[in-house]
Amino acid sequence: MILLAVLFLCFISSYSASVKGHTTGLSLNNDRLYKLTYSTEVLLDRGKGKLQDSVGYRISSNVDVVLLWRNPDGDDDQLIQITMKDVNVENVNQQRGEKSIFKGKNPPKIIRKENLEALQRPVLLHLIHGKVKEFYSYANEPVAIENLKRGLASLFQMQLSSGTTNEVDISGDCKVTYQAHQDKVIKIKALDSCKIERSGFTTSNQVLGVTSKATSVTTYKIEDSFVIAVLAEETHAFRMNSLQTIAGKIISKQKLELKTTEAGPRLMSGKQVAAIIKAVDSEYKALPIVGQDFQSKCKRCPSLSEHWQSTRKHLQPDNLSKAEAVRSFLAFIQHLRTATREEILQILKAENKEVLPQLVDAVTSAQTSDSLDAILDFLDFKSDSSIILQERFLYACGFASHPNEELLRGLISKFKGSFASNDIRETVMIIIGALVKKLCQNEGCKLKAVVEAKKLILGGLERAEKKEDTMMYLLALKNALLPEGIPLLLKFAEAGEGPVSHLATTALQRYDVSFITDEVKKTLNRIYHQNRKVHEKTVRTTAAAIILNNNPSYMEVKNILLSIGELPKEMNKYMLTLVQDILRFEMPASKIVRRVLKEMVAHNYDRFSKSGSSSAYTGYIERTPHSASTYSLDILYSGSGILRRSNLNIFQYIGKAHLHSSQVVIEAQGLEALIAATPDEGEENLDSYAGMSAILFDVQLRPVTFFNGYSDLMSKMLSASGDPISVVKGLILLIDHSQELQLQSGLKANMDVQGGLAIDISGAMEFSLWYRESKTRVKTRQFETKYERLSTGRGYISRRRKESLIAGSEFPLHQENSEMCKVVFAPEPASTSSGWF
């Protein structure tokens, strides 16, 4: 669900300017009163340019401008007075008729009498060579009113010659370019260069981000050496990267026209401008011309508790499959971002256990200091009565759109404490790794908390004595992707046993190609070719995939191809389909693979005719000129025909940015005893184990175990209820972009884009001792996927979908020997997550 809100001040703005051409900038004539008309309007549309779809308002007024003082030592040093009169407010889109919020209301009613009086008090502007030296107004006026005056005053700043320079005005310190013509001067302001403090944030990954573009053009019309009109237009356009139909545009226009001149007050004499200002009114104060930030307070608005009462019914467990649940979730986050710690704690303590997990999702996703303090105070990690809430909090932290150092510091503090559940302790460390990566992506690698977290992960991995701790720190490093952690990963990948070695290689698989150096690939080649020790198939195939996906050399490819035929049966088949997939999908390594295949020793019938059921396949889900979504599914079996590993990945690409949307890995080992089969080489002593690991939106989650050990396996086979084990469940704030815009008219606009997702991923394995059959099920909130494997060797996948308003789509993943595997995407109604599954 996408929420877009642009908030405009309910105050008024007016501009005016009328001046005489001069050698460097604008100059007014002595003893003249300039009468001008001014209007400014602001519009919001959906990017389609249709007026009937636009909303906005127009402010108009008359403006009087007089020259109070000119420096006797230089004509280009002037003090002018600007006064707004007869202010009016109206709707830009007259087609709204009775729906207009301004209908039947006069300006004092709209902006309040005291604000209108402040707006119509004159300001003074000190110009030197056409540029603003000082801006003078009255102290203690509302900031919003002062900003409107700043916007008007900024229009008087210009130069008559072409060139590029930096100017300070309402928009900040900006780079501007002037283009001088015979009858006009055009000023182009580079808004992206403006230095001004404004709040805002965006999602760190550009696939889920928003692209915005801003332009500002002001035209000064000149007639007989006089500027007779000023026309300014500022545009802020945005578009969602992942769904470009979600777009919008904010347009701010200003128009200032000279109507007439008449006799005005005489110039004030003196050499010091300060004395002149004091003589005019000693209450004037020099204020920054740059727009000042402020937060408007809502009066007579519902309290947080009242908002929650109207929201909670949509977040009941039975309603989470509806689009309204995500809509309510996103809307409530906005209310939470303005709430205090005490208000948030009050509703947390009062809620029942059915809705409380969804409330924890929302509070954590708000990502404010107050919400963080409240949730940390509310949760007791030493108690086992709130394990579900603790897990929901931690995963919401992992998916945080714009985490800060405070959040990371809070988790580090919790990790150093005690826990009622070791699973929660492991999850805390795994999420710490995810936060480190996101903060480093936003140039926060040198923050004290990030440095401490790095030492905690790397030091913990080096000193770990228990296998469980080693796995925990490896998972954290798999999320953090620290370059300095690569030597440790190589060590555990080559020397580690079983699951440790496999986890280390899968962590290396997530690193960017720039980090997979020749030294890294030397170790990976030793692992694949078993130069120093025997490795499991899962470790060897992962090592080979990393080599082939990261600029492999000619000899590396040749050696891998020469190994096909000498490997265990199913590994032979898997490596063969992996190479074929590289060629078919035109991956970067395809060119060098084709070069090697020209050699008969590598490309012959004996190698490429190996049989088996294992496979690897990559394809497109969607492909457009600016983006692509891909899936890959690889399945590796043991020699006895039992599933060893299945791995489904979905990636999204936009330009050079990519997002690992999801990965679901099912692993099983040591099950040969079920069918009295012989294990493959290197896997003779493996304990019986089955589990599932998942990556969701670039965050590695804590793996879940279906069973571990033969006794646990037998217990599950005889007494398993079939109920799935949850991997992740909750409401996720997926897209989160907020931008506060200082418009050059003096008005303020807020641009907010949000996307949410309700998700429930769970999995289970079922065994039948009598029929020698195993079933693996992965269930999401929208459909259920079954991976079913019989001892006969025939595999298939079935689907069961819930009904939705938007029809799902089926995409064939791979087809071989009349067996078809599919993935089904069934989006929620009303674009719950902009097309995400």
Side-chain angles (χ1 to χ4, degrees):
M1 171 179 172
I2 303 298
L3 291 183
L4 175 63
V6 177
L7 308 176
F8 299 109
L9 290 176
C10 224
F11 300 119
I12 292 190
S13 139
S14 296
Y15 295 176
S16 47
S18 149
V19 280
K20 180 179 180 181
H22 205 256
T23 54
T24 56
L26 300 177
S27 179
L28 277 68
N29 286 339
N30 300 349
D31 309 332
R32 303 298 297 173
L33 170 63
Y34 293 82
K35 295 281 190 178
L36 306 100
T37 59
Y38 170 75
S39 67
T40 181
E41 60 187 50
V42 62
L43 299 132
L44 168 67
D45 69 29
R46 299 176 182 175
K48 299 178 180 179
K50 296 181 179 179
L51 181 61
Q52 61 269 27
D53 293 334
S54 301
V55 293
Y57 60 91
R58 180 184 297 111
I59 302 166
S60 58
S61 74
N62 294 321
V63 176
D64 288 352
V65 179
V66 296
L67 177 63
L68 296 180
W69 171 84
R70 191 192 304 275
N71 192 330
D73 296 330
D75 288 350
D76 281 331
D77 189 353
Q78 310 166 85
L79 182 69
I80 64 175
Q81 183 183 67
I82 306 169
T83 308
M84 297 174 63
K85 297 181 176 180
D86 308 322
V87 176
N88 189 37
V89 186
E90 60 184 336
N91 200 304
V92 170
N93 189 351
Q94 299 297 332
Q95 298 181 19
R96 296 188 64 83
E98 296 295 328
K99 296 181 180 179
S100 172
I101 61 173
F102 304 119
K103 186 173 180 60
K105 298 178 182 177
N106 57 22
K109 182 72 172 178
I110 297 171
I111 61 173
R112 298 202 302 269
K113 182 180 178 181
E114 60 273 22
N115 288 328
L116 184 60
E117 290 175 353
L119 183 62
Q120 297 184 142
R121 282 196 286 265
V123 297
L124 305 182
L125 195 63
H126 185 193
L127 296 172
I128 299 180
H129 300 299
K131 303 303 172 72
V132 175
K133 175 66 175 175
E134 291 289 354
F135 169 78
Y136 297 91
S137 187
Y138 293 96
N140 301 321
E141 287 186 341
V143 176
I145 296 298
E146 288 181 346
N147 280 348
L148 296 176
K149 295 181 180 181
R150 289 182 174 101
L152 171 57
S154 294
L155 282 182
F156 288 83
Q157 180 167 243
M158 64 92 69
Q159 69 185 43
L160 297 175
S161 58
S162 298
T164 298
T165 185
N166 268 61
E167 287 183 355
V168 178
D169 64 6
I170 179 78
S171 304
D173 188 345
C174 309
K175 180 182 177 181
V176 295
T177 300
Y178 285 93
Q179 299 172 353
H181 303 272
Q182 183 177 2
D183 59 347
K184 63 183 177 181
V185 174
I186 298 175
K187 178 166 72 172
I188 302 172
K189 185 190 301 181
L191 292 174
D192 57 350
S193 72
C194 294
K195 298 176 182 178
I196 185 171
E197 291 187 7
R198 285 293 181 269
S199 61
F201 49 80
T202 190
T203 307
S204 57
N205 192 299
Q206 277 302 299
V207 173
L208 299 175
V210 172
T211 296
S212 59
K213 183 179 180 181
T215 60
S216 170
V217 178
T218 303
T219 302
Y220 295 83
K221 293 186 178 181
I222 300 174
E223 186 177 294
D224 296 331
S225 298
F226 278 84
V227 174
I228 61 170
V230 183
L231 303 174
E233 181 166 326
E234 176 183 10
T235 301
H236 295 265
F238 74 93
R239 189 178 299 274
M240 268 189 58
N241 294 335
S242 57
L243 190 64
Q244 297 208 347
T245 54
I246 304 297
K249 187 184 293 184
I250 298 168
I251 303 170
S252 175
K253 297 180 181 180
Q254 296 166 271
K255 184 177 181 180
L256 183 65
E257 289 184 295
L258 174 64
K259 291 303 180 182
T260 185
T261 62
E262 57 187 53
R266 295 183 62 82
L267 282 182
M268 300 177 69
S269 60
K271 288 192 174 183
Q272 300 298 324
V273 69
I276 300 299
I277 293 169
K278 186 175 182 180
V280 173
D281 192 335
S282 61
E283 295 297 319
Y284 275 119
K285 302 293 182 183
L287 301 174
I289 188 69
V290 177
Q292 300 298 295
D293 195 15
F294 68 95
Q295 298 298 326
S296 56
K297 295 183 179 179
C298 183
K299 296 182 178 180
R300 297 192 299 271
C301 288
S303 66
L304 182 68
S305 179
E306 290 172 324
H307 281 300
W308 174 240
Q309 290 307 313
S310 62
T311 299
R312 66 183 304 279
K313 62 184 178 183
H314 300 296
L315 300 185
Q316 295 285 343
D318 293 341
N319 294 331
L320 293 182
S321 61
K322 301 176 182 177
E324 186 58 40
V326 184
R327 262 196 295 269
S328 300
F329 167 69
L330 296 177
F332 190 61
I333 287 175
Q334 296 290 355
H335 299 306
L336 284 166
R337 285 177 171 168
T338 60
T340 65
R341 170 184 172 277
E342 290 71 23
E343 289 174 322
I344 297 171
L345 264 176
Q346 182 182 357
I347 61 171
L348 281 169
K349 292 178 178 179
E351 194 47 71
N352 62 47
K353 63 179 182 180
E354 289 186 347
V355 185
L356 195 52
Q358 289 76 260
L359 179 57
V360 169
D361 290 337
V363 171
T364 311
S365 299
Q367 301 174 71
T368 65
S369 296
D370 284 281
S371 65
L372 178 60
D373 289 344
I375 195 67
L376 288 178
D377 285 351
F378 177 71
L379 295 175
D380 182 7
F381 287 84
K382 298 177 182 178
S383 169
D384 60 1
S385 62
S386 61
I387 298 296
I388 293 176
L389 301 181
Q390 296 168 31
E391 189 173 62
R392 294 283 281 261
F393 160 70
L394 291 171
Y395 281 140
C397 290
F399 297 128
S401 57
H402 54 282
N404 56 24
E405 187 181 16
E406 184 183 5
L407 174 59
L408 179 58
R409 194 183 301 115
L411 291 189
I412 292 174
S413 176
K414 291 296 179 183
F415 182 77
K416 293 178 179 178
S418 57
F419 293 86
S421 166
N422 193 58
D423 287 349
I424 295 298
R425 176 177 177 269
E426 292 177 1
T427 305
V428 170
M429 176 48 62
I430 293 169
I431 297 305
I432 285 175
L435 294 180
V436 166
K437 178 187 175 184
K438 290 187 177 184
L439 288 169
C440 283
Q441 286 176 334
N442 289 330
E443 302 179 353
C445 261
K446 295 183 180 179
L447 295 172
K448 289 183 179 180
V450 175
V451 173
E452 183 180 358
K454 287 181 181 181
K455 292 179 180 178
L456 197 61
I457 295 170
L458 299 176
L461 186 55
E462 287 183 304
R463 295 187 299 269
E465 297 179 356
K466 298 179 180 179
K467 175 185 172 182
E468 293 78 9
D469 285 344
T470 300
M471 298 286 283
M472 175 183 70
Y473 287 114
L474 283 173
L475 287 165
L477 187 53
K478 188 175 180 180
N479 267 337
L481 297 181
L482 301 175
E484 56 266 47
I486 291 177
L488 276 174
L489 290 175
L490 292 173
K491 168 189 168 184
F492 284 102
E494 188 168 22
E497 297 295 330
V500 171
S501 177
H502 183 226
L503 179 54
T505 52
T506 59
L508 285 167
Q509 198 171 22
R510 297 197 69 201
Y511 279 83
D512 187 77
V513 63
S514 61
F515 296 106
I516 309 301
T517 62
D518 290 340
E519 288 299 316
V520 173
K521 286 191 284 185
K522 282 182 183 178
T523 304
L524 294 171
N525 274 292
R526 289 198 300 268
I527 292 172
Y528 176 73
H529 295 291
Q530 303 188 121
N531 297 133
R532 293 185 177 176
K533 61 172 289 188
V534 175
H535 293 277
E536 296 178 20
K537 293 194 299 294
T538 53
V539 178
R540 297 179 68 189
T541 53
T542 303
I546 298 173
I547 295 168
L548 293 172
N549 287 329
N550 291 274
N551 299 324
S553 67
Y554 185 91
M555 286 308 300
E556 286 172 338
V557 173
K558 183 176 180 180
N559 287 334
I560 288 175
L561 287 175
L562 289 177
S563 71
I564 298 176
E566 310 299 327
L567 306 170
K569 175 185 174 183
E570 286 296 337
M571 188 174 172
N572 267 328
K573 182 63 175 177
Y574 178 84
M575 291 304 301
L576 180 61
T577 58
L578 182 65
V579 171
Q580 292 170 334
D581 191 40
I582 291 172
L583 295 172
R584 184 194 55 79
F585 200 68
E586 293 291 338
M587 294 180 186
S590 60
K591 292 182 179 180
I592 198 164
V593 171
R594 285 192 170 91
R595 282 181 55 202
V596 176
L597 288 176
K598 291 179 181 179
E599 293 191 35
M600 186 65 70
V601 66
H603 189 194
N604 54 59
Y605 178 79
D606 182 55
R607 273 183 224 291
F608 279 74
S609 62
K610 301 301 179 183
S611 62
S613 300
S614 300
S615 63
Y617 191 89
T618 303
Y620 285 105
I621 296 173
E622 182 185 23
R623 193 178 186 183
T624 67
H626 85 283
S627 66
S629 298
T630 66
Y631 64 86
S632 64
L633 175 65
D634 62 79
I635 302 176
L636 177 64
Y637 293 107
S638 67
S640 57
I642 294 179
L643 176 70
R644 188 69 173 83
R645 181 190 67 203
S646 69
N647 186 354
L648 173 64
N649 290 278
I650 296 176
F651 285 88
Q652 286 196 286
Y653 300 89
I654 294 179
K656 295 182 179 179
H658 75 277
L659 174 70
H660 197 171
S661 300
S662 70
Q663 179 190 72
V664 178
V665 180
I666 303 290
E667 292 186 77
Q669 66 179 38
L671 303 182
E672 283 75 15
L674 287 175
I675 55 175
T678 302
D680 291 335
E681 179 189 11
E683 301 182 354
E684 297 88 353
N685 299 317
L686 294 180
D687 291 333
S688 298
Y689 166 85
M692 182 167 68
S693 174
I695 292 175
L696 190 61
F697 304 116
D698 261 341
V699 177
Q700 169 69 56
L701 310 179
R702 184 179 60 81
V704 297
T705 299
F706 299 139
F707 60 81
N708 191 3
Y710 191 77
S711 59
D712 191 23
L713 166 62
M714 299 307 295
S715 173
K716 294 285 178 21
M717 290 175 63
L718 296 172
S719 62
S721 65
D723 294 334
I725 299 174
S726 177
V727 179
V728 63
K729 182 178 182 178
L731 292 158
I732 299 175
L733 178 60
L734 196 61
I735 298 168
D736 195 16
H737 178 92
S738 180
Q739 191 173 354
E740 186 177 291
L741 304 173
Q742 176 60 68
L743 302 178
Q744 62 188 28
S745 62
L747 298 171
K748 183 179 78 169
N750 292 343
M751 183 169 70
D752 297 305
V753 183
Q754 288 184 301
L757 179 70
I759 194 166
D760 181 358
I761 297 178
S762 55
M765 291 193 76
E766 299 175 11
F767 295 90
S768 171
L769 188 61
W770 316 115
Y771 295 101
R772 296 168 65 189
E773 168 187 87
S774 68
K775 299 179 182 179
T776 304
R777 292 186 294 129
V778 179
K779 183 179 180 181
T780 72
R781 183 175 53 85
Q782 295 154 333
F783 57 84
E784 181 177 89
T785 303
K786 289 184 180 179
Y787 295 87
E788 209 163 295
R789 180 70 185 173
L790 304 178
S791 59
T792 59
R794 178 172 176 79
Y796 64 92
I797 297 176
S798 63
R799 294 286 183 270
R800 188 175 70 204
R801 264 189 319 189
K802 293 181 179 179
E803 293 183 3
S804 65
L805 297 181
I806 300 176
S809 302
E810 288 190 354
F811 301 91
L813 292 185
H814 73 282
Q815 184 173 2
E816 183 177 9
N817 298 331
S818 75
E819 296 181 29
M820 177 71 79
C821 295
K822 297 179 182 177
V823 64
V824 178
F825 292 86
E828 278 298 300
S831 64
T832 300
S833 60
S834 306
W836 298 106
F837 62 91

